[in-house]
């Protein structure tokens, strides 16, 4: 958003204009006085400037943009993209997504937390959305799975790869593949596919063999035939079914995008054996 970029630029310009010729510690040592506060304490004027900016000029611009988006695009269907495998077709409200995204970015600065909460509340009110509704909570629009410690065979560079969001990709023999950012060598998709199959096997085995835990006293179930805990609490699984289902859905999207037939067949077999793990697409 241009408004957020302008906000960041204004903060930077204010920092540059307020930057002293000497640091507080140097001035204090020269004057023979105790050292002044550093860090957040030394930037109190900048924090006040940011708060005034959020609740003043920037708020008015965001109100106007939110109203325009809500008027022109009440709802819109986003189709899947070929660049990121974790993005699926979904129908959403552009104005609501704009409010959630802007609020999420501005909330990264703790010094303007109260002002951002008020700004978010007022923007949601403009589009008729409740402040505490589930739809107003920001969620990542794209699936994500980070494969740790992937080593490039050409330069031995080791890095963690977000298989859904990584932008270092290239097309090899008609199929997309991840690429080393240092030497531009493509990773072996078959090797990554085998790693993902191993992850699925371990996660599904852990889900099937997990213990039951009391939702009241958090004790692990000891008696096999006991229906309730000794504290009268009910038993629940340690691993959430939605979490393992989301992993399977993410891996299935990766398998289709990167042409990993073995991975896709493995996921289809798991979902065939345990249909309750399937997460249907929500609109």
């Amino acid at each position: 958003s241009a408004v957020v970029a302008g906000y960041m630029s204004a903060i930077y310009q204010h920092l540059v204009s307020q930057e002293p010729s000497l640091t507080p510690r140097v001035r204090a040592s020269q004057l023979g006085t105790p050292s002044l506060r550093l860090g957040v304490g030394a930037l109190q004027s900048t924090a006040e400037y940011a708060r005034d900016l959020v609740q003043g000029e920037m708020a008015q611009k965001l109100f106007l943009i939110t109203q325009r988006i809500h008027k022109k695009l009440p709802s819109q269907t986003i189709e899947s993209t070929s660049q990121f495998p974790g993005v699926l077709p979904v129908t959403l409200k552009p104005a609501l997504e704009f409010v959630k995204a802007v609020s999420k970015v501005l909330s990264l600065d703790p010094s303007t937390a109260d002002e951002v909460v008020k700004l978010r509340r007022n923007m949601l009110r403009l589009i008729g959305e409740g402040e505490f509704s589930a739809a107003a909570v920001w969620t990542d629009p794209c699936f994500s799975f980070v494969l740790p410690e992937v080593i490039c065979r050409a330069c031995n560079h080791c890095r963690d790869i977000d298989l859904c969001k990584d932008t270092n990709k290239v097309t090899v023999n008609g199929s997309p593949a991840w690429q080393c950012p240092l030497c531009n060598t493509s990773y072996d998709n078959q090797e990554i596919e085998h790693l993902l199959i191993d992850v699925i096997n371990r996660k599904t085995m852990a889900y099937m063999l997990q213990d039951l835990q009391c939702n009241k006293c958090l004790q692990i179930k000891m008696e096999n035939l006991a229906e309730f805990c000794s504290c009268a609490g009910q038993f629940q699984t340690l691993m959430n079914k939605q979490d393992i289902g989301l992993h399977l859905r993410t891996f299935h999207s990766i398998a289709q995008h990167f042409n990993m037939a073995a991975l896709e067949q493995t996921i289809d077999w798991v979902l065939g054996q345990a249909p309750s793990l399937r997460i249907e697409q929500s609109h």
Side-chain angles (χ1 to χ4, degrees):
S1 174
V3 178
V4 176
Y7 166 77
M8 297 174 62
S9 177
I11 296 297
Y12 174 75
Q13 295 297 333
H14 181 78
L15 284 172
V16 172
S17 64
Q18 296 296 322
E19 183 179 3
S21 58
L22 293 175
T23 62
R25 189 177 298 276
V26 173
R27 292 202 308 269
S29 61
Q30 290 178 348
L31 298 176
T33 57
S35 61
L36 302 177
R37 291 186 302 171
L38 299 177
V40 178
L43 301 176
Q44 186 63 31
S45 61
T46 303
E48 294 177 356
Y49 175 77
R51 287 192 288 267
D52 294 338
L53 195 61
V54 169
Q55 64 186 357
E57 178 184 356
M58 185 177 179
Q60 298 302 320
K61 291 182 179 179
L62 289 176
F63 293 157
L64 182 60
I65 294 175
T66 302
Q67 288 178 320
R68 289 179 177 177
I69 296 176
H70 185 61
K71 182 178 180 180
K72 293 183 178 180
L73 293 173
S75 63
Q76 186 178 15
T77 300
I78 304 299
E79 300 295 337
S80 60
T81 173
S82 59
Q83 183 178 5
F84 300 106
V87 179
L88 296 179
V90 63
T91 301
L92 46 78
K93 299 178 180 179
L96 178 59
E97 297 302 320
F98 173 77
V99 172
K100 293 192 294 184
V102 171
S103 302
K104 182 65 176 179
V105 173
L106 295 179
S107 64
L108 298 177
D109 185 3
S111 63
T112 59
D114 295 338
E115 287 72 17
V116 172
V117 170
K118 296 178 182 178
L119 176 65
R120 176 178 177 271
R121 182 190 306 124
N122 292 330
M123 287 193 295
L124 289 174
R125 188 178 302 170
L126 289 175
I127 60 178
E129 194 69 42
E131 180 183 3
F132 301 102
S133 65
V137 179
W138 185 88
T139 55
D140 196 335
C142 180
F143 296 150
S144 176
F145 180 77
V146 178
L147 189 63
E149 299 179 355
V150 179
I151 301 176
C152 175
R153 292 188 174 183
C155 65
N156 292 328
H157 174 61
C158 181
R159 72 184 183 106
D160 299 340
I161 302 179
D162 191 327
L163 301 182
C164 294
K165 300 179 182 179
D166 192 82
T167 57
N168 295 303
K169 290 185 291 188
V170 66
T171 302
V172 179
N173 297 327
S175 299
W178 295 274
Q179 192 178 39
C180 176
L182 295 185
C183 65
N184 296 328
T185 301
S186 59
Y187 297 103
D188 187 358
N189 272 16
Q190 189 174 9
E191 180 180 353
I192 294 180
E193 182 180 17
H194 291 162
L195 293 175
L196 294 180
I197 292 176
D198 181 64
V199 171
I200 289 179
N201 291 336
R202 288 187 284 107
K203 284 186 176 295
T204 53
M205 180 177 295
Y207 177 77
M208 296 301 177
L209 301 179
Q210 66 179 313
D211 292 322
L212 295 179
Q213 183 184 44
C214 176
N215 60 0
K216 186 176 180 181
C217 66
L218 303 182
Q219 293 294 322
I220 299 298
K221 181 179 180 180
M222 302 298 294
E223 302 293 337
N224 292 332
L225 299 179
E227 185 176 358
F228 297 97
C229 181
S230 58
C231 68
Q234 294 183 344
F235 291 108
Q236 62 184 7
T237 57
L238 292 175
M239 298 178 60
N240 191 348
K241 181 175 64 175
Q242 295 294 327
D243 293 339
I244 187 67
L246 182 59
H247 274 97
L248 293 175
R249 181 176 174 180
T250 303
F251 286 4
H252 193 271
S253 178
I254 295 174
Q256 290 182 329
H257 184 78
F258 291 94
N259 299 327
M260 298 179 176
L263 177 61
E264 186 174 1
Q265 292 176 4
T266 302
I267 297 172
D268 291 338
W269 181 85
V270 172
L271 294 177
Q273 298 296 318
S276 61
L277 297 179
R278 187 183 301 273
I279 298 180
E280 299 297 336
Q281 179 181 333
S282 59
H283 294 275

